[in-house]
């Protein structure tokens, strides 16, 4: 294993834009270009352009690709039509979450799994092992793709000016092969910002060309390059979990309030089934802790790992926290004991470096876009 | 207000103006503001507080992190910048001007302050 950070195909471009770079899961990625708050607001009101080439693509092909995925993952992949995508989890035998994934069905017998950068190797190894008994090939496509996302209300217009693909027919969580700015791309209507938007999977050699074409197309409508810092505040406002924060191997999807991704009704066994059935029963009986939103009354920002307190007792833990540009206040996601989890529960605070700051308990998400 | 070349600096990226009537102004450098990212909360020392050179006297919180604020000099706080408390983004937009943080009546001269050239060398590695 080399310790030198991996560079995306857009690395030189980020540096020429003056990006502040950061190490993320072994990749050198743009954290922000100028003000992360401005980038966040641009995505909410106009559009932002992201390099997400650190995400891990794994392709499964062959007659039993879908059977392998149904066995390896908790979702019901056999119900995903060609050109559609599905959010799902891959779990351990004990039900713990290894990663959250998006699976795209690219063809009759071709699926692309997109894993988080930090888990790409783990997911690749697990899929390879779990698919061994099936007539399918698991291919590491991490180096085959650059990934560029354009997100925000102006993104459909920006993309429409560069492609003949039927974007109106492309529903949320759909993906189709097409051409954008003359570049062959898989065009997916997915994202991690809470806004309408697209993720474009292209060959790395075309990444710069595509980025520049999108930049030019978005010039008149306020498109800006956007880094990982605003990506985090955008997904937090949208109540979307981040692996390593809201999702870990010590939690099942039921603990994370995402039990709906587990499909017991699918045929045959899948990794984690027995443990997850027990977890579902526990969750139905008495949920131990619940994932809630917290909104600050003051101005200090809760961070991952801070204790949530009530009546002088620790009743939970913050998993993500940040100042919310949209709400204008600090917000957080936290796992709290069920008796303090109802929206509006009073007397809840966060221990911020020794001071108990008051917080309002709210249902997630903090922000929902007007459709 | 401040010409960066005429200020003194600390390894913790604060700047310190020359004292006028024994009172010096303190802020953080553009380098520090840039490294922090958007500042969202400033906890500044109160008027009357005693600060000690090299010790923490407040904190600056940004989108990604919290940073302790170290006093570059010993003395008594005679003023803090209410504008920054109300609008912490001033620290990013004008770190040497409207984003100043507090004013100190010096009890002694700073011992470890760096010159502009020394600080520039520290932050550029030259």
């Amino acid at each position: 294993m080399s310790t030198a950070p991996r560079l995306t195909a857009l690395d030189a471009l980020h540096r020429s834009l003056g990006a502040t770079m950061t190490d993320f899961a072994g990749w050198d990625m743009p954290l922000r270009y100028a003000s992360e708050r401005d980038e966040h607001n641009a995505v909410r009101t106009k559009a932002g352009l992201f390099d997400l080439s650190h995400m891990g693509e794994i392709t499964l092909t062959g007659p039993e690709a879908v059977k392998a995925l149904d066995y390896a993952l908790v979702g019901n992949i056999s119900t995903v039509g060609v050109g559609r995508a599905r959010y799902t989890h891959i779990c351990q035998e004990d039900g713990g979450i290894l990663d959250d994934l998006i699976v795209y069905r690219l063809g009759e017998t071709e699926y692309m799994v997109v894993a988080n950068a930090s888990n790409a190797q783990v997911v690749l190894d697990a899929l390879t092992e779990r698919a061994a008994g099936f007539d399918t090939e698991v291919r590491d496509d991490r180096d085959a793709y650059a990934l560029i996302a354009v997100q925000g209300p102006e993104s459909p217009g920006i993309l429409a000016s560069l492609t003949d693909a039927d974007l109106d027919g492309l529903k949320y969580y759909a993906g189709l092969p097409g051409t954008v700015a003359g570049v062959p791309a898989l065009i997916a209507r997915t994202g991690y910002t809470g806004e309408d938007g697209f993720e474009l999977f292209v060959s790395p050699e075309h990444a710069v060309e595509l980025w520049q074409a999108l930049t030019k197309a978005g010039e008149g409508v306020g498109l800006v390059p956007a880094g990982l810092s605003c990506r985090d505040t955008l997904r937090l406002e949208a109540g979307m979990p981040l692996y390593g924060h809201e999702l870990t191997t010590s939690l099942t999807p039921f603990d994370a309030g995402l039990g709906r991704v587990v499909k017991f009704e699918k045929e045959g066994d899948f990794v984690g089934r027995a443990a997850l059935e027990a977890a579902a029963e526990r969750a139905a009986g008495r949920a131990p802790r619940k994932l809630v939103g917290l909104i600050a009354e003051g101005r200090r920002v809760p961070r991952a790992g801070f204790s949530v307190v009530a009546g002088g007792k620790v009743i939970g833990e913050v998993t993500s926290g940040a100042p919310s540009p949209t709400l204008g206040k600090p917000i957080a996601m936290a796992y709290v004991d069920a008796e303090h989890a109802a929206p509006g529960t009073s007397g809840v605070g966060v221990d911020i470096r020794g001071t108990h700051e008051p917080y309002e308990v709210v249902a997630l998400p903090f922000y929902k876009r007007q459709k | 207000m401040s010409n960066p070349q005429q200020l003194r600096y600390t390894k913790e990226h604060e700047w310190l103006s020359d004292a006028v009537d024994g009172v010096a102004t303190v802020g953080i450098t553009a380098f520090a503001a840039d490294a922090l990212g958007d500042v969202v909360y400033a906890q500044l020392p109160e008027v009357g507080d005693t600060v000690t050179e090299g010790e923490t006297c407040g904190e600056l919180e940004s989108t990604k992190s919290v940073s302790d604020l170290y006093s570059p000099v010993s003395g008594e706080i005679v003023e803090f910048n209410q504008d920054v408390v109300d609008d912490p983004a001033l620290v990013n937009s004008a770190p040497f001007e409207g984003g100043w943080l507090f004013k100190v009546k010096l009890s002694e001269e700073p011992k470890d302050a760096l010159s502009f050239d020394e600080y520039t060398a520290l932050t550029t590695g030259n």
Side-chain angles (χ1 to χ4, degrees):
Chain A
M1 281 296 283
S2 84
T3 49
R6 301 184 62 181
L7 308 180
T8 78
L10 295 160
D11 189 76
L13 210 150
H14 299 315
R15 289 169 203 278
S16 74
L17 290 167
T20 300
M21 305 296 286
T22 187
D23 173 79
F24 190 88
W27 291 78
D28 222 0
M29 299 299 292
L31 183 67
R32 60 175 181 269
Y33 297 85
S35 154
E36 55 234 318
R37 192 184 306 135
D38 293 349
E39 291 167 24
H40 179 109
N41 292 334
V43 174
R44 285 273 177 263
T45 57
K46 298 179 180 79
L49 192 58
F50 296 85
D51 178 7
L52 305 175
S53 301
H54 59 314
M55 302 295 283
E57 298 86 1
I58 301 156
T59 306
L60 275 80
T61 55
E64 290 193 317
V66 67
K67 276 193 164 172
L69 288 168
D70 269 342
Y71 170 70
L73 313 178
V74 301
N76 196 348
I77 309 305
S78 55
T79 61
V80 179
V82 174
R84 300 290 302 172
R86 179 72 48 86
Y87 174 83
T88 186
H89 290 179
I90 180 168
C91 288
Q92 302 177 145
E93 201 61 70
D94 69 0
I97 305 164
L98 273 178
D99 199 10
D100 62 339
L101 311 165
I102 296 182
V103 179
Y104 297 88
R105 186 176 181 186
L106 304 184
E108 277 305 320
T109 58
E110 185 180 1
Y111 295 82
M112 181 172 73
V113 176
V114 179
N116 285 299
S118 52
N119 294 327
Q121 191 62 51
V122 168
V123 173
L124 177 67
D125 292 347
L127 286 176
T128 304
E129 186 189 328
R130 295 175 189 189
F134 298 89
D135 185 2
T136 180
E137 188 206 345
V138 180
R139 192 172 69 228
D140 176 3
D141 268 347
R142 279 178 289 181
D143 295 336
Y145 292 105
L147 175 54
I148 294 173
V150 55
Q151 300 276 309
E154 296 288 351
S155 59
I158 292 168
L159 198 55
S161 72
L162 296 173
T163 182
D164 297 334
D166 174 20
L167 298 182
D168 290 337
L170 191 72
K171 300 262 181 297
Y172 188 53
Y173 263 75
L176 60 91
T179 305
V180 182
V183 168
L186 170 70
I187 306 167
R189 201 163 202 155
T190 45
Y192 194 49
T193 59
E195 297 302 325
D196 193 5
F198 301 87
E199 294 180 317
L200 307 168
F201 296 84
V202 298
S203 169
E205 78 232 29
H206 293 139
V208 169
E209 190 184 338
L210 178 60
W211 180 280
Q212 288 171 334
L214 287 160
T215 301
K216 201 164 169 354
E219 245 166 28
V221 291
L223 174 81
V224 299
L228 294 185
S229 181
C230 79
R231 184 169 151 91
D232 192 42
T233 48
L234 288 159
R235 69 92 195 167
L236 177 59
E237 286 181 352
M240 294 171 166
L242 174 63
Y243 196 87
H245 289 255
E246 287 73 36
L247 311 176
T248 67
T249 50
S250 58
L251 296 167
T252 71
F254 295 95
D255 300 320
L258 290 167
R260 61 186 158 76
V261 305
V262 182
K263 303 296 183 192
F264 294 120
E265 67 273 23
K266 66 179 170 177
E267 272 181 41
D269 196 20
F270 62 93
V271 177
R273 183 191 270 271
L276 288 167
E277 278 169 350
E281 237 167 271
R282 276 200 308 276
R286 195 184 61 84
R289 278 191 170 177
K290 285 183 91 160
L291 187 64
V292 300
L294 300 173
I295 299 180
E297 292 170 27
R299 293 172 64 169
R300 301 178 88 187
V301 184
R303 306 286 178 182
F306 287 13
S307 293
V308 183
V309 290
K313 287 197 182 67
V314 174
I315 55 145
E317 187 178 303
V318 172
T319 50
S320 297
S324 161
T326 306
L327 280 69
K329 296 175 180 173
I331 58 172
M333 284 201 257
Y335 283 108
V336 304
D337 292 347
E339 57 266 32
H340 297 278
T345 303
S346 60
V348 171
V350 175
D351 183 335
I352 298 187
R353 296 179 291 284
T355 320
H356 290 187
E357 300 272 340
Y359 277 78
E360 182 192 358
V361 179
V362 299
L364 294 167
F366 299 98
Y367 166 87
K368 236 191 173 107
R369 76 182 163 102
Q370 302 299 311
K371 300 218 169 134
Chain B
M1 159 181 124
S2 320
N3 174 354
Q5 296 190 359
Q6 290 170 352
L7 300 170
R8 286 178 288 178
Y9 295 89
T10 68
K11 291 189 182 70
E12 284 86 21
H13 309 286
E14 281 87 20
W15 57 261
L16 174 72
S17 73
D18 282 337
V20 178
D21 299 334
V23 174
T25 305
V26 173
I28 66 163
T29 65
F31 176 89
D34 196 48
L36 275 175
D38 291 331
V39 177
V40 295
Y41 172 74
Q43 190 196 5
L44 302 178
E46 301 278 345
V47 173
D49 284 359
T50 303
V51 292
T52 307
E53 182 178 353
E55 294 197 358
T56 60
C57 60
E59 62 185 32
L60 290 177
E61 183 140 36
S62 67
T63 298
K64 282 285 170 210
S65 65
V66 181
S67 296
D68 282 329
L69 198 56
Y70 295 88
S71 181
V73 68
S74 298
E76 185 186 325
I77 302 293
V78 294
E79 193 182 344
F80 65 89
N81 189 348
Q82 185 64 44
D83 291 348
V84 162
V85 174
D86 296 338
D87 179 17
L90 278 172
V91 176
N92 296 103
S93 58
F96 292 106
E97 308 286 339
W100 65 273
L101 300 177
F102 54 87
K103 295 184 180 179
V104 190
K105 187 158 187 64
L106 306 194
S107 57
E108 54 184 288
E109 279 297 306
K111 298 182 194 64
D112 298 325
L114 307 172
S115 69
F116 175 76
D117 288 345
E118 286 169 327
Y119 180 70
T120 305
L122 178 79
T123 53
T124 57
N126 300 324

